[in-house]
Amino acid sequence: MKYAALTAALLGGMMTLTGCGQGKVEGKDISASSSAGDIGDAYVAELTRIADALETVDDEASARSAATEIRKAADGLKNMEEELGGEVSGMKAMQIFGNNYEDLANAQMRMMTALTTLQAEHPELMDIIGEETDRLGQ
């Protein structure tokens, strides 16, 4: 199943930082010098954006709309990855995600539940969002 890689990549996000909220959280630029809290908030915000989008998919139009939102979140994650230089040390990751653990776990669970439901109930819609969800695992 091609979505297994996405699942693994998203769940692995707690140990490596693959980006955050298009470089902005509450009007602040996110960079390598940003606080762990701001970085974590941005990361969780993008995962929540993806979960929200996935949970709306029930027909072709909503799948296309969700794909657009997932693309925006993926671009934000990629931009932040570049800004922060990729992987973050284990200690920094604990600082980033420690205060956001519950929100992070909730967003990841929502994403996985939505993907599993879509695959089971509307596999034809997975083709529409598949290209964008595949970008998340890269």
Side-chain angles (χ1 to χ4, degrees):
M1 171 186 245
K2 70 181 182 179
Y3 304 105
L6 169 65
T7 301
L10 291 172
L11 293 176
M14 289 189 62
M15 297 312 292
T16 61
L17 182 64
T18 57
C20 302
Q22 297 182 332
K24 299 271 185 196
V25 173
E26 299 176 14
K28 299 177 193 172
D29 287 332
I30 299 298
S31 68
S33 63
S34 295
S35 74
D38 284 349
I39 295 168
D41 288 347
Y43 188 86
V44 170
E46 291 299 27
L47 292 187
T48 299
R49 175 192 275 193
I50 295 166
D52 290 346
L54 288 170
E55 289 173 343
T56 67
V57 177
D58 61 4
D59 59 19
E60 185 174 338
S62 61
R64 293 194 188 290
S65 179
T68 299
E69 284 303 306
I70 294 166
R71 182 180 317 113
K72 289 176 188 175
D75 289 346
L77 294 170
K78 178 111 175 107
N79 290 341
M80 192 52 61
E81 177 184 7
E82 291 170 3
E83 179 66 30
L84 298 175
E87 284 195 27
V88 173
S89 71
M91 182 58 74
K92 182 76 171 180
M94 287 174 36
Q95 292 170 339
I96 291 169
F97 298 120
N99 290 334
N100 295 298
Y101 177 76
E102 189 173 328
D103 293 333
L104 177 66
N106 183 44
Q108 289 176 325
M109 182 59 71
R110 288 178 55 213
M111 288 169 31
M112 294 307 102
T113 300
L115 285 170
T116 301
T117 301
L118 280 173
Q119 184 63 36
E121 296 177 7
H122 300 288
E124 72 283 2
L125 300 178
M126 287 297 292
D127 292 336
I128 295 170
I129 63 168
E131 184 176 325
E132 301 308 327
T133 58
D134 287 348
R135 291 178 66 209
L136 294 168
Q138 296 176 356

